[in-house]
Amino acid sequence: MLTLWTRVVQAAFIFLTTESIGVLLDPCGHISPESPVVQLGSNFTAVCVLKEKCMDNFAVNADNIFWKTNHAIVPKEQYTVINRTASSVTFRDVSSLNTQLTCNIYAFGQIEQNVYGITIISGLPPEKPKNLNCIVNEEKNMMCQWDPGRKTYLETNYTLKSEWATEKFADCKAQRDTPNSCTLDYSPVYFVNIEVWVEAENALGNITSDHINFDPIDKVKPNPPHNLSVRSSEELSSILKLAWINPSIKSFLRLKYSIQYRTKDASTWSQIPPEDTSSTRSSFTVQDLKPFTEYVFRIRCMKEDGKGFWSDWSEEASGITYEARPSKEPSFWYKIDPSHTHGYRPVKLIWKTLPPFEANGKILDYEVTLTRWKSHFQNYRVNDTKLTVNLTNDRYIATLTARNLVGRSDASVLTIPACDFRAVHPVMDLKAFPKDNKLWVEWTAPTESVNKYILEWCVLSDKSPCIPDWQQEDGTVHLTYLRGNLMESKCYLITVTPVYADGPGSPESVRAYLKQAAPSKGPTVRTKKVGKNEAVLEWDQLPVDVQNGFIRNYTILYKTAFGNETAVNVDSSHTEYTLSSLTSDTLYMVRMAAYTDEGGMQLVSIHLEQQKKESQEQEEDIECVVNCLHE
């Protein structure tokens, strides 16, 4: 008798017998149940039944059966021999989702053979669907959603059913990838109640959700308003007028609206108060807007009584409010060229452009008026932010206004004192410090009444001139930050000047860094004097361009060729230091570094082994070697 093994589609491996080669007979046994689906956590028993012919041919009976799950032998304690042809295996509290179970024998008492195999599929019955709700999309369809409950691990079908009192509609079967929703292809009739429910079913059972009954008009989601337009008003620069076309459902349904707006560059939306848009309309005027500002709008609608759902947002539309007179006068300052010729002095008047929220429109030009004390005035119309004039040594009153299409700003007034004016009353306790990536300036106000403060700052450099930037602050301010494009590791010279009714006060200055770094290079050190047991070192202060911060101290490190290195800290105000208690006739290596609040320069070693007499000067760039001579 020959044997032949093969794999079947649903079972695993089946032990077969043939009477002759190529002739397939029945398997030697089978497992019952054939295709089990078992609930997770439950018990399960399978029975393997051998056929008499196989038992005779291979000298086996049920005592020779052993079971495997996923190729691992099941403990014999779980077996039960029912009779000479059948053996069962029991699993308690099934927890594996898919298990391969095989019935096996030892043919002729020693050859392991597989008789039959099945797959145990396990999972859970469906839970009752909850939170069923439907949305009626105007003129389109009805989409219902629900909570399907726990995962079943089985193929589970969800069917949405609906009916009127006198008519049932076609079922809607949920897609496998979206078992929590289904969309009916018809649009329900308004003002006629419909009943809707969900049925869930899999191999372990079926269950039905609660039925809901509603008028589709109370679940409607209207189409969004369309053709939204925005129009400005020349009479009022703080309003924009909106208009739109309502969805067709408005013909038998009253609507309310939600209108949102933002400035063009903003990311967050502002909301029109709901009570202002709570009834059907096709236009609205938005108030309290900023002049000459572009706004973006969007609108949506829903049933006036609040039942149903908001429509999607309309397409956005934008508009620009009309211009208004500038709301603030420009910041205004001056500079006097120190050169005087024939009783005249060149005076450069400078001012800042108004920010958009103060300009309230496009600035067309500036008007500057100069009035000499108790004399006539000169008038200039300028399209720039500076004006240079030659003035006598007398006192002048300068005024500046900015003009847009609607009108002029209030005037900035500046007193340019006479040539013999002596500035007094500076600010006190001036200091500057970095915080939150800004460079802050703080001071104590003078006892006299101050009209305004002028803050000027520039980058100190050994390679380029100090080109100042400036800003103006109100006379009540004593703490502010510099509103410019500041750079890290640069030294800023900051000057604060109080401005009084009769002219500027004395300026006060302070140096500061937005952020410090370690110096770009170390100091150049030289030997000033070499003695028997000491050496005097000197160096130059680091150029401001390489300091990158406030130099807090220097560190001098020195050692003999085979000795330990000694470190000495030197105050940053010093440019000279004496190394004492040195051993005569010994070669020393000396290094030096400068430190800011952010660390020191990592020195590059340069070995210069030079010996010179005591009266000679020895120098190197970063590292020097000192030879202390005999007497």
Side-chain angles (χ1 to χ4, degrees):
M1 185 72 68
L2 301 176
T3 60
L4 176 66
W5 297 89
T6 186
R7 182 189 297 267
V8 299
V9 175
Q10 188 167 11
F13 298 97
I14 304 176
F15 186 31
L16 305 170
T17 64
T18 59
E19 295 295 332
S20 61
I21 296 176
V23 180
L24 184 65
L25 296 181
D26 292 335
C28 278
H30 68 276
I31 296 176
S32 178
E34 179 78 23
S35 302
V37 179
V38 181
Q39 183 169 334
L40 285 169
S42 66
N43 300 334
F44 171 72
T45 298
V47 178
C48 180
V49 180
L50 299 177
K51 292 187 176 180
E52 290 286 348
K53 183 181 291 188
C54 288
M55 293 169 59
D56 295 339
N57 289 341
F58 299 107
V60 295
N61 58 40
D63 289 331
N64 301 108
I65 293 175
F66 63 96
W67 297 85
K68 285 186 176 183
T69 55
N70 297 336
H71 309 294
I73 295 178
V74 178
K76 289 187 176 181
E77 291 79 6
Q78 296 176 229
Y79 302 174
T80 298
V81 176
I82 300 172
N83 53 42
R84 61 184 295 272
T85 64
S87 174
S88 69
V89 64
T90 299
F91 301 93
R92 302 191 182 280
D93 191 15
V94 174
S95 59
S96 298
L97 294 178
N98 292 289
T99 302
Q100 300 293 328
L101 177 65
T102 58
C103 172
N104 311 271
I105 61 172
Y106 286 110
F108 306 109
Q110 59 184 353
I111 301 173
E112 180 179 330
Q113 300 288 358
N114 172 249
V115 174
Y116 206 78
I118 63 172
T119 298
I120 304 172
I121 299 173
S122 54
L124 295 168
E127 286 188 319
K128 180 178 179 179
K130 295 177 291 186
N131 302 326
L132 175 61
N133 197 14
C134 298
I135 299 176
V136 178
N137 296 296
E138 179 188 354
E139 299 176 339
K140 296 173 186 168
N141 52 42
M142 182 173 75
M143 189 270 288
C144 296
Q145 294 178 304
W146 58 88
D147 177 4
R150 69 191 174 195
K151 190 173 182 179
T152 65
Y153 306 103
L154 299 173
E155 181 180 312
T156 304
N157 297 316
Y158 293 89
T159 304
L160 178 68
K161 294 180 173 288
S162 56
E163 65 180 18
W164 285 344
T166 58
E167 181 180 356
K168 289 187 176 182
F169 300 101
D171 291 346
C172 181
K173 295 187 179 298
Q175 300 295 317
R176 297 285 170 81
D177 56 345
T178 56
N180 64 334
S181 67
C182 201
T183 300
L184 296 163
D185 290 332
Y186 66 89
S187 182
V189 176
Y190 301 128
F191 309 113
V192 178
N193 277 24
I194 188 172
E195 189 169 348
V196 177
W197 67 97
V198 176
E199 291 183 357
E201 180 182 19
N202 65 18
L204 293 176
N206 60 74
I207 195 166
T208 301
S209 72
D210 292 336
H211 291 220
I212 59 173
N213 190 292
F214 57 89
D215 183 344
I217 199 67
D218 292 331
K219 300 287 186 179
V220 73
K221 177 183 177 181
N223 290 325
H226 57 282
N227 290 13
L228 177 63
S229 63
V230 184
R231 184 166 52 89
S232 63
S233 167
E234 293 187 12
E235 294 79 19
L236 292 173
S237 60
S238 61
I239 69 169
L240 285 172
K241 298 178 179 180
L242 311 183
W244 61 87
I245 297 176
N246 282 301
S248 57
I249 201 171
K250 177 251 182 184
S251 60
F252 56 86
L253 188 71
R254 293 191 60 80
L255 299 173
K256 67 177 181 179
Y257 306 86
S258 173
I259 299 176
Q260 291 186 342
Y261 64 97
R262 59 177 173 82
T263 57
K264 181 182 179 182
D265 299 324
S267 57
T268 57
W269 295 87
S270 297
Q271 176 82 36
I272 298 296
E275 59 270 20
D276 294 346
T277 56
S278 60
S279 59
T280 304
R281 59 176 63 234
S282 58
S283 64
F284 188 80
T285 298
V286 184
Q287 305 178 38
D288 299 324
L289 302 177
K290 297 176 183 177
F292 200 59
T293 302
E294 183 172 0
Y295 287 90
V296 180
F297 295 87
R298 64 183 184 181
I299 184 173
R300 61 181 180 173
C301 63
M302 75 175 299
K303 193 162 174 272
E304 186 182 64
D305 61 7
K307 295 180 180 180
F309 301 88
W310 284 107
S311 72
D312 293 331
W313 289 104
S314 68
E315 291 186 1
E316 296 176 359
S318 62
I320 301 175
T321 51
Y322 202 69
E323 295 187 31
R325 174 177 168 270
S327 58
K328 192 174 181 181
E329 66 276 9
S331 298
F332 194 22
W333 190 229
Y334 72 95
K335 290 290 184 181
I336 298 179
D337 193 316
S339 62
H340 289 231
T341 56
H342 307 295
Y344 284 86
R345 47 186 175 153
V347 177
K348 184 178 182 180
L349 301 171
I350 54 178
W351 53 92
K352 295 284 188 178
T353 58
L354 290 171
F357 63 88
E358 293 175 351
N360 294 339
K362 182 180 179 181
I363 299 301
L364 303 176
D365 56 40
Y366 300 91
E367 186 175 68
V368 178
T369 300
L370 286 166
T371 305
R372 191 165 61 177
W373 190 242
K374 297 181 180 179
S375 181
H376 66 283
F377 66 90
Q378 300 165 270
N379 195 61
Y380 303 87
R381 184 160 290 183
V382 186
N383 291 316
D384 203 350
T385 55
K386 60 182 181 296
L387 173 66
T388 301
V389 291
N390 282 323
L391 301 181
T392 64
N393 293 331
D394 300 309
R395 178 186 179 188
Y396 283 80
I397 302 295
T399 64
L400 171 70
T401 57
R403 182 178 70 92
N404 64 16
L405 191 63
V406 176
R408 291 193 174 278
S409 68
D410 291 339
S412 293
V413 181
L414 195 62
T415 298
I416 304 173
C419 192
D420 57 357
F421 177 79
R422 294 292 176 264
V424 292
H425 309 308
V427 299
M428 298 172 288
D429 306 320
L430 178 62
K431 58 184 178 182
F433 54 92
K435 181 182 178 183
D436 300 330
N437 295 318
K438 295 181 175 67
L439 193 51
W440 293 81
V441 185
E442 186 175 20
W443 63 89
T444 300
T447 55
E448 290 72 16
S449 177
V450 178
N451 286 356
K452 64 183 181 182
Y453 294 97
I454 298 295
L455 279 71
E456 299 173 281
W457 65 92
C458 65
V459 175
L460 289 178
S461 173
D462 299 307
K463 300 176 182 178
S464 57
C466 186
I467 302 174
D469 197 356
W470 66 283
Q471 70 190 50
Q472 178 179 304
E473 298 291 344
D474 190 76
T476 59
V477 172
H478 61 86
L479 173 66
T480 188
Y481 65 89
L482 302 184
R483 296 186 291 275
N485 296 319
L486 304 186
M487 297 177 288
E488 297 180 357
S489 307
K490 297 295 182 182
C491 183
Y492 285 93
L493 178 64
I494 304 168
T495 301
V496 178
T497 304
V499 180
Y500 303 99
D502 58 349
S506 297
E508 284 290 316
S509 298
V510 66
R511 296 186 181 194
Y513 287 85
L514 176 63
K515 186 176 182 180
Q516 299 186 55
S520 302
K521 61 180 292 186
T524 300
V525 63
R526 303 178 295 274
T527 54
K528 182 177 180 181
K529 179 182 178 182
V530 178
K532 177 183 177 182
N533 299 108
E534 66 179 22
V536 179
L537 306 179
E538 66 176 0
W539 59 91
D540 297 324
Q541 294 282 5
L542 286 176
V544 69
D545 290 304
V546 301
Q547 290 181 16
N548 299 337
F550 294 114
I551 303 298
R552 300 303 187 188
N553 68 276
Y554 300 103
T555 298
I556 300 173
L557 303 103
Y558 63 97
K559 60 176 287 188
T560 61
F562 302 104
N564 295 326
E565 192 169 57
T566 301
V568 178
N569 290 326
V570 182
D571 188 85
S572 61
S573 62
H574 296 174
T575 56
E576 183 178 297
Y577 188 80
T578 300
L579 298 179
S580 59
S581 301
L582 303 179
T583 305
S584 61
D585 197 23
T586 302
L587 192 66
Y588 282 84
M589 290 177 291
V590 181
R591 295 184 301 148
M592 187 172 181
Y595 286 84
T596 67
D597 293 337
E598 294 297 321
M601 169 63 187
Q602 295 293 325
L603 297 177
V604 179
S605 296
I606 302 175
H607 299 280
L608 299 175
E609 296 187 4
Q610 299 177 357
Q611 297 182 3
K612 298 184 179 182
K613 293 181 181 180
E614 186 175 345
S615 59
Q616 289 180 309
E617 185 181 79
Q618 174 181 5
E619 71 178 73
E620 57 180 281
D621 185 19
I622 297 178
E623 183 175 287
C624 73
V625 181
V626 181
N627 185 19
C628 294
L629 305 176
H630 291 286
E631 281 187 297

